[in-house]
Amino acid sequence: MADKALLKEFEAIVGADNVMSAEAETHAYSYDAAVLDSVAPAVVVRPTETEQLGAITALCNKHGLPLTVRGAGTNLSGGTIPSKGGVVVLTGALNKILELNMDDLYARVQPGVITAKFAAEVASKGLFYPPDPGSQTVSTLGGNVAENAGGLRGLKYGVTKDYLMGISFYDVNGDLVKSGSRTVKCVTGYNLPGLMVASEGTLGVFNEITFKLIPPPQAAQSMMAVFDDVLDASRTVSAIIAAKILPATLEFMDNFTIRTVDNFRKAGLPTDAAALLLIEVDGHPAQVAEEAEKVEKICKEHNAKSVEVAKDAEHRAKVWQARRDALPALANLKPTCVLEDATVPRSRIPAMMEALARISKEFDLTIGTFGHAGDGNLHPTILTDKRNEQEWHRVEKAIDAIFDEALAMGGTLSGEHGIGLAKSKYMEQETSRATIEYSRRMKKSLDPKGILNPGKIISALLD
Amino acid sequence: MADIQKLVTMLKELDDQLVSCMRCGMCQAVCPVFAETGREADVTRGKLALLDGLAGEILKDPKGVKEQLDRCLLCGTCQANCPSGVHVMDIFLKARAILTGYFGLSPAKRIIFKQLLTRPELFNKLTTFGSKFQGMFAKPVNDVLGTSCARFQAPLIADRHFPSLAAKPFHKSTKPMDEPAGKSGVRVAFYPGCMVDKVYPGVGHAVLKVLKHHGVGVFMPHGQACCGIPALSSGDRESFEKMVATNADLFSNADFDYILTPCATCSATLKEIWPTMVDNESLKARIGPVADKVMDVSEFLVNVLGVEAMEGAAGKKVTYHDPCHLRNSLKVTAQPRTVLQASKNASFVELPNAATCCGCGGSFSLHHYEISKKIGDLKAKTVEDSGAETLATSCPACMMQIADRLSQRGHSIPVKHVIEVYAESLGS
Ligand SMILES: Cc1cc2nc3c(=O)[nH]c(=O)nc-3n(C[C@H](O)[C@H](O)[C@H](O)COP(=O)(O)OP(=O)(O)OC[C@H]3O[C@@H](n4cnc5c(N)ncnc54)[C@H](O)[C@@H]3O)c2cc1C
Ligand code: SF4
Ligand code: SF4
Ligand code: SF4
C-alpha cells in the first residue's frame, strides 16, 4: 500500500477515480502473458489525457518510484510485470485516433489505441496498416511500438518499426521529446523513433505516435501445401524466396500442431502430414495469379503431397482459421503453455526443426512448433504444468537449450516477443559485454534514478 | 464467517481450473464490462488472477475479491472466446458459492432464496399480491422482490421504464396441461420460467398457440420452481438445489420428448448448469435425462418441426438480438432468425453486433446500474440505427433491459419475443 500523501499527489493529476491502491485492484496488474511470477505494484494510475503522462512520470522520478507503462499487458516476456512498490500507468483511456491523413498517408494516434481497431479504421478509409500481431484484437499501438511487434505479414510488409514515422514521448523529467516527422523522409537528428522501438518502456513514456499507411493490395490468393517430410517443407520456404517471390504470409505447422488443431476444430486437416505450409500471395491481380501458380509449382517440385488453393473467400478463411487455431489448440492441451519465439535465418529452419525434436526428446517434453517460416520466426510451444516442479525445471533447461541452438545458428533471442524479464539473462550471449555496457550507460544518463521499467532487457546481473 | 484457512482450502479446489488460464488477455476484446471500465479486475483474466492470488495466499482481501467477482454479467462471452478453453462460468459460480459460504448470505437474499424462491406457491401468491398493489405499495414489494429473482428485480427500481408485473400471471390464466402427442407425433414439457410467468405471460401464450398450431402435445405441470440461477449466481447452492429438486419432482418421471423454455437463461441453466452444479448425486441422476432434453423454443421449431425461412416476406422490419446464454452457452443463433424469417408479416434485417450483451446480467444490473445502463445504451443505439420497427429476442430478461433502454432514450420500438412475432403471423 502506498502512503496517503503520495496517493493524494497522483489523485491531483488524474482524479481519485483513476488511482487504484486496494489489494484487489493492484493484484490485477501484477502479471502479463508471460509465464513468470507476479509482482503487485503499490499504485495503479489511469490517465485520461496524454499530458497527465508527463506529470506522472515527473512525480515518479521525484520520488524515485519505479514506473511501468501498461498497454493491454499481452507481452510474452514479462515487460509489464512491475517492480515491487512501483507504479503502473495504464494507457487504456488514451485511445484516440487523432488524425488519418489521406493525402499524405499517415495517421497520428494516442498510445492506447487498440491495434485491430486502428487497422479497421484505416481500412474503412481505403488504406492499409499491415502489422497484425496475433494479439491485435487487444494489444495497443504503444505496446506494439515498445515491443516492435510483428505479425503474419512480416515477411513482405515488415513489422511495427517499418511503419513508425514519428513518436513523441516524455522523458523521466516529464519533458516532452518530439522526434521523427510526418514526411516520408526525415534525417533530422538522432533516430529517436528507432531508439524507442523495442525499448519496452525503459527509455521514455510514449504519448503520441505517427504511423505510415500504405495502399492495400488489390487481390490475394491463399493455399495450403501438405508435406510428408519436415525438411521438404523447410526447403520449399527457401525455394519460394529464392524464386524472388515474397508471399504476404508463409506459415508453418508441424505434425503435432496439425493434429492438435484438427482435434480442436475438426477442420479436416491432413493429420498424417509431417508439416503444412500456409501461403498467401497478394498484390495486383495479374501478379497474384502468376505468383500463385509459381508457388504451387515450387511446392510440388519439393515433394508436396498436395497443394490446396483456396477457391473463394470462405475457403480462404478456413485456411487461416487453421493457423489462428494453432495457439489456442495447443493451449487447451495442458495447463501451462510456454510460447517461445526463437528466430533463425530462413535457411536454417530445417536445422532448427531437427534441434527442437532433439530437445523435446532429451528433456522429455511435449513441444508443438508452428510459426512464421517466411521470416525464420518459429514458435516452439512447450506444453507443461508449472505446478510440476520437476518437469518445470526441465522446461527451463529446454528453453536454455533452444536459445543456445538458435544463437549458434546465427539466429536471435526474440523475433517479436521482446526481452523483458524473461530473456534478459541471455542478452550477452547474443550480443556482447560491450553492447550491454553501452546500453546501460545510455540508460543511466537518460534515466539516472533507473525508474523507467527497471529490471527489463539489460538488467540481468553480469558476472 | 468461516476462518480464512478454510476459504483457502476451498478455493484450492478450483486450482485445476484456474491454472488453465494462460493470461493471454484475449478476453479483453469481448468482455462488455471491461469495455466500459477498462479495468483489469473487471475482465476475466483479472478476476481469475484475483482468485488465484486468494487461493495462493498472495492476496489477503476476500471481501475485495468478492466485490470484483460480482462485477460480472455472467454472460459467458469470455468463455466462448477463450483460446485456452477455461471453464470461466464454472469457476465464477463455484467461487461465488465459496465466497458466499465464507461471508454468509445477505439477510435480504437469505429470506428471498431460502423462504421464497424455494417455495413456488408462496412466491406465486406474493407476486400476485404485488401485481395488484404495486402502484400503492411499490416500496414494500420492492423490499421483498427487489433482490429476489435475478431476472426481475430490475422492474422495481425507481427510475426504470419497466413492464409491471402482469395483472394475471401465466399460471393463473392456464390450467395444468397433460396432452398426448398431436399430429406432429411430438410431446413436449413446457417450462415457461418465472419471468415469462410473472412479467411476460404473453410469451407463454404465444408458445402454447404455436405448439397447438403444429400439433404438439404439451405437458405443463403447475407448481414449477424457478430454475435457480438467481440463488446460484449469488452463491447460494443450497437454495439452488432445492429449486432444482422441486422441478425434478415434476419432470423427471414424466414422459416427453423435449422440454422447452422461451427463456435463454432458463435453457442454459437447465441444460448446462443443472448437471454441472448440482452436488447431490441422486438429484443429479434424476435431472440428467431432463437436462438432456432441453431445447430453446426456436431451436425446437426449426430442428424438430422443420419450420423454414420464407422467401420475400414483406412485413414490418424486425431485427434480432442474440441473448448471451443462447449464443454463448447453447450455440443457438441461426434458428431464432429462421423463425423470424418464417413469420409472414415480418421482414428480417440483421442487427449490427447482434451478439453483444445487453448489459442486464441479473443482479449485476441492480448493483452496477450505471455500467449496466451504458452497456444497454450501446445495444439500444444499434437497434435505433438499424431502422427496425420491432426488436425481437429470445430471452425475457433481455426484452426487459432493451425495452428499458429504448424507452429511456425516447424510442418506442416494440420489443418482442421471437415466438410472439411468429405466433402473430399464424393469425388467430
Ligand atoms: C495470444 C498472443 C499472441 C501474440 N502474438 C504476437 C505476434 O504475432 N507478434 C508479436 O510481435 N507479438 C505477439 N504477442 C505479444 C504481444 O501481444 C505484443 O508484444 C504486443 O505488442 C504487446 O502490446 P500490449 O499493448 O499488450 O503491451 P504491454 O504488454 O502492455 O506492454 C509491452 C511493453 O510495452 C511497454 N509500453 C506499453 N505502452 C507504452 C507506452 N505508451 N510508452 C512506453 N512504453 C510502453 C510496456 O512497458 C511493456 O514493456 C502475442 C501475445 C499473445 C498473448
Ligand atoms: S482469454 Fe482465457 S486464457 Fe486468455 S486470459 Fe482470458 S480467461 Fe485466460
Ligand atoms: S462473463 Fe461476461 S461480463 Fe463476466 S467476465 Fe466474462 S465477458 Fe465479462
Ligand atoms: S432464468 Fe428463467 S426461471 Fe430462472 S430465474 Fe430467470 S426467469 Fe426465472
Side-chain angles (χ1 to χ4, degrees):
Chain A
M1 246 315 217
D3 69 69
K4 287 235 162 58
L6 191 62
L7 291 179
K8 281 264 167 321
E9 288 192 73
F10 282 114
E11 285 173 10
I13 302 171
V14 294
D17 267 0
N18 292 309
V19 177
M20 296 169 245
S21 62
E23 206 187 2
E25 287 170 317
T26 55
H27 189 81
Y29 297 99
S30 63
Y31 54 79
D32 51 34
V35 188
L36 294 168
D37 291 339
S38 50
V39 180
V43 195
V44 179
V45 289
R46 187 166 190 265
T48 50
E49 307 289 336
T50 47
E51 294 74 37
Q52 294 166 352
L53 284 171
I56 293 166
T57 311
L59 183 63
C60 288
N61 196 39
K62 186 175 114 192
H63 294 296
L65 292 170
L67 178 165
T68 299
V69 188
R70 184 183 176 98
T74 66
N75 75 89
L76 286 154
S77 50
T80 42
I81 297 181
S83 300
K84 207 167 164 23
V87 179
V88 164
V89 180
L90 306 179
T91 61
L94 308 172
N95 56 5
K96 288 195 197 62
I97 296 175
L98 303 168
E99 183 187 359
L100 279 182
N101 192 306
M102 316 293 294
D103 295 326
D104 293 323
L105 303 192
Y106 69 80
R108 286 190 305 119
V109 300
Q110 292 185 336
V113 173
I114 289 168
T115 315
K117 281 198 180 142
F118 175 63
E121 191 67 33
V122 168
S124 77
K125 296 277 191 293
L127 290 172
F128 187 30
Y129 177 73
D132 57 344
S135 51
Q136 60 176 328
T137 53
V138 293
S139 75
T140 65
L141 292 169
N144 291 170
V145 172
E147 297 284 353
N148 192 14
L152 294 184
R153 304 191 186 106
L155 174 58
K156 178 169 180 178
Y157 292 100
V159 297
T160 305
K161 72 168 181 216
D162 299 305
Y163 296 85
L164 183 67
M165 296 169 79
I167 190 162
S168 64
F169 58 90
Y170 288 101
D171 67 13
V172 276
N173 302 315
D175 293 327
L176 192 61
V177 181
K178 294 189 177 187
S179 67
S181 129
R182 298 171 198 192
T183 57
V184 174
K185 293 159 106 182
C186 164
V187 289
T188 309
Y190 289 130
N191 180 4
L192 298 184
L195 186 62
M196 289 302 125
V197 162
S199 64
E200 302 187 22
T202 61
L203 296 175
V205 176
F206 315 154
N207 85 317
E208 192 185 306
I209 309 167
T210 306
F211 285 117
K212 176 169 83 180
L213 305 175
I214 62 172
Q218 294 167 26
Q221 180 63 267
S222 314
M223 56 201 105
M224 182 192 287
V226 182
F227 293 88
D228 277 336
D229 181 346
V230 176
L231 295 184
D232 281 334
S234 318
R235 286 187 201 113
T236 307
V237 174
S238 316
I240 292 173
I241 314 262
K244 304 193 179 54
I245 297 171
L246 263 191
T249 322
L250 213 184
E251 296 288 307
F252 169 91
M253 267 189 188
D254 71 356
N255 172 268
F256 184 77
T257 311
I258 299 168
R259 280 187 288 131
T260 313
V261 167
D262 191 65
N263 199 22
F264 181 65
R265 201 181 289 269
K266 311 271 175 275
L269 295 180
T271 47
D272 54 345
L276 281 185
L277 288 181
L278 306 174
I279 310 164
E280 179 161 307
V281 289
D282 69 0
H284 185 275
Q287 178 202 355
V288 168
E290 189 189 314
E291 289 191 347
E293 207 174 298
K294 273 196 197 156
V295 169
E296 194 178 344
K297 195 160 151 261
I298 296 171
C299 291
K300 294 218 165 116
E301 280 166 9
H302 287 81
N303 307 324
K305 202 161 54 168
S306 69
V307 183
E308 196 182 331
V309 180
K311 292 183 284 290
D312 48 29
E314 200 184 321
H315 196 180
R316 178 172 174 238
K318 209 187 111 198
V319 170
W320 292 111
Q321 189 61 47
R323 170 60 180 83
R324 275 194 294 274
D325 282 342
L327 177 60
L330 290 171
N332 263 291
L333 287 186
K334 286 276 190 81
T336 313
C337 148
V338 183
L339 180 72
E340 281 306 344
D341 78 328
T343 302
V344 294
R346 264 190 300 261
S347 60
R348 303 308 300 274
I349 288 182
M352 190 64 192
M353 288 306 299
E354 283 177 90
L356 288 170
R358 209 169 47 238
I359 291 168
S360 138
K361 245 214 195 104
E362 183 183 340
F363 296 97
D364 187 19
L365 293 168
T366 311
I367 306 184
T369 301
F370 62 97
H372 319 299
D375 39 52
N377 183 188
L378 292 177
H379 289 309
T381 303
I382 309 177
L383 305 174
T384 175
D385 183 340
K386 67 180 174 208
R387 294 169 301 175
N388 179 341
E389 267 177 51
Q390 248 190 351
E391 184 170 289
W392 186 245
H393 188 66
R394 296 205 305 277
V395 170
E396 291 179 316
K397 289 269 181 267
I399 297 173
D400 289 348
I402 291 174
F403 288 124
D404 283 345
E405 291 283 355
L407 293 180
M409 291 178 202
T412 180
L413 292 171
S414 173
E416 53 182 26
H417 294 169
I419 299 299
L421 296 171
K423 294 183 224 169
S424 181
K425 65 175 177 186
Y426 306 113
M427 276 290 282
E428 191 182 343
Q429 202 181 336
E430 175 171 344
T431 59
S432 68
R433 169 68 65 113
T435 313
I436 311 231
E437 300 286 7
Y438 183 86
S439 308
R440 286 184 170 179
R441 283 199 302 277
M442 185 174 78
K443 164 93 172 154
K444 181 92 189 155
S445 61
L446 293 174
D447 177 15
K449 293 187 184 172
I451 63 147
L452 292 176
N453 214 8
K456 316 293 151 59
I457 312 180
I458 48 166
S459 296
L461 292 175
L462 294 176
D463 40 84
Chain B
M1 216 180 277
D3 79 293
I4 187 127
Q5 223 34 61
K6 190 148 172 242
L7 175 70
V8 168
T9 319
M10 288 193 287
L11 284 169
K12 285 233 168 81
E13 284 166 25
L14 294 178
D15 200 43
D16 272 334
Q17 287 179 308
L18 284 173
V19 286
S20 60
C21 168
M22 60 172 168
R23 305 273 190 268
C24 69
M26 301 309 275
C27 37
Q28 288 174 22
V30 297
C31 172
V33 179
F34 181 78
E36 287 306 324
T37 68
R39 287 170 191 247
E40 180 87 18
D42 284 341
V43 79
T44 327
R45 177 171 72 161
K47 294 189 175 104
L48 296 176
L50 292 182
L51 285 172
D52 196 40
L54 205 54
E57 294 178 81
I58 303 172
L59 203 147
K60 302 201 165 49
D61 177 16
K63 185 156 174 291
V65 174
K66 183 174 185 309
E67 275 165 20
Q68 291 300 342
L69 211 58
D70 286 344
R71 290 165 65 91
C72 169
L73 294 155
L74 294 177
C75 67
T77 316
C78 49
Q79 174 166 323
N81 289 283
C82 170
S84 202
V86 180
H87 297 293
V88 184
M89 293 303 102
D90 217 27
I91 298 176
F92 284 178
L93 287 171
K94 284 184 183 151
R96 282 184 180 195
I98 292 169
L99 285 161
T100 300
Y102 177 70
F103 285 108
L105 210 54
S106 76
K109 286 187 177 170
R110 174 171 292 276
I111 294 177
I112 288 144
F113 298 144
K114 304 242 184 271
Q115 308 296 334
L116 193 59
L117 288 197
T118 44
R119 298 183 192 171
E121 292 309 326
L122 177 65
F123 183 30
N124 285 342
K125 276 202 195 104
L126 253 167
T127 44
T128 311
F129 170 85
S131 77
K132 289 204 182 96
F133 297 96
Q134 57 190 340
M136 262 188 285
F137 297 113
K139 187 68 180 118
V141 175
N142 188 351
D143 274 355
V144 182
L145 284 180
T147 42
S148 67
C149 169
R151 295 303 168 185
F152 60 90
Q153 49 212 358
L156 300 154
I157 303 270
D159 73 324
R160 290 183 180 244
H161 293 194
F162 51 81
S164 24
L165 288 172
K168 202 165 190 188
F170 182 62
H171 73 273
K172 284 266 166 172
S173 50
T174 45
K175 295 214 158 55
M177 299 169 77
D178 194 357
E179 307 166 348
K183 69 170 192 289
S184 68
V186 182
R187 176 175 136 102
V188 300
F190 184 36
Y191 180 86
C194 27
M195 179 113 175
V196 163
D197 185 52
K198 292 167 180 73
V199 183
Y200 291 115
V203 174
H205 292 296
V207 173
L208 292 181
K209 177 177 167 187
V210 169
L211 293 178
K212 187 162 179 207
H213 173 84
H214 286 284
V216 176
V218 179
F219 167 62
M220 184 180 72
H222 273 186
Q224 300 182 17
C226 169
C227 66
I229 195 68
L232 187 65
S233 62
S234 296
D236 182 1
R237 281 179 94 151
E238 196 184 292
S239 300
F240 165 72
E241 290 212 351
K242 268 197 192 142
M243 297 176 214
V244 178
T246 305
N247 289 317
D249 290 343
L250 294 177
F251 293 106
S252 65
N253 290 321
D255 175 35
F256 50 83
D257 303 306
Y258 304 97
I259 174 164
L260 305 189
T261 90
C263 169
T265 312
C266 295
S267 305
T269 307
L270 268 56
K271 198 172 181 79
E272 302 210 311
I273 300 192
W274 278 9
T276 47
M277 297 299 291
V278 166
D279 256 350
N280 177 315
E281 288 303 327
S282 76
L283 180 56
K284 210 182 187 117
R286 277 204 296 154
I287 51 157
V290 178
D292 285 344
K293 292 183 193 167
V294 172
M295 258 202 200
D296 162 69
V297 172
S298 298
E299 189 185 7
F300 172 75
L301 289 183
V302 175
N303 296 14
V304 179
L305 298 182
V307 167
E308 281 177 11
M310 288 185 309
E311 288 296 317
K316 284 200 168 172
K317 261 200 198 169
V318 49
T319 194
Y320 179 70
H321 157 72
D322 282 292
C324 296
H325 292 118
L326 212 51
R327 180 180 61 104
N328 296 329
S329 306
L330 304 177
K331 317 279 181 226
V332 172
T333 53
Q335 296 92 333
R337 290 173 168 81
T338 307
V339 171
L340 290 173
Q341 284 162 339
S343 307
K344 283 199 284 298
N345 37 12
S347 73
F348 175 72
V349 288
E350 186 63 39
L351 182 70
N353 299 320
T356 56
C357 179
C358 70
C360 177
S363 55
F364 179 89
S365 82
L366 181 73
H367 299 299
H368 306 288
Y369 186 41
E370 282 309 310
I371 305 177
S372 166
K373 213 155 74 171
K374 282 194 196 147
I375 300 172
D377 281 344
L378 291 178
K379 180 59 70 177
K381 184 158 186 314
T382 55
V383 175
E384 291 153 25
D385 294 348
S386 74
E389 293 158 285
T390 303
L391 172 84
T393 186
S394 298
C395 171
C398 303
M399 285 169 69
M400 192 161 64
Q401 166 84 345
I402 299 172
D404 170 37
R405 294 328 307 160
L406 283 170
S407 156
Q408 297 262 4
R409 295 163 58 89
H411 287 264
S412 47
I413 300 168
V415 175
K416 289 186 183 165
H417 195 287
V418 169
I419 203 74
E420 292 180 292
V421 176
Y422 183 66
E424 281 164 22
S425 80
L426 297 177
S428 41

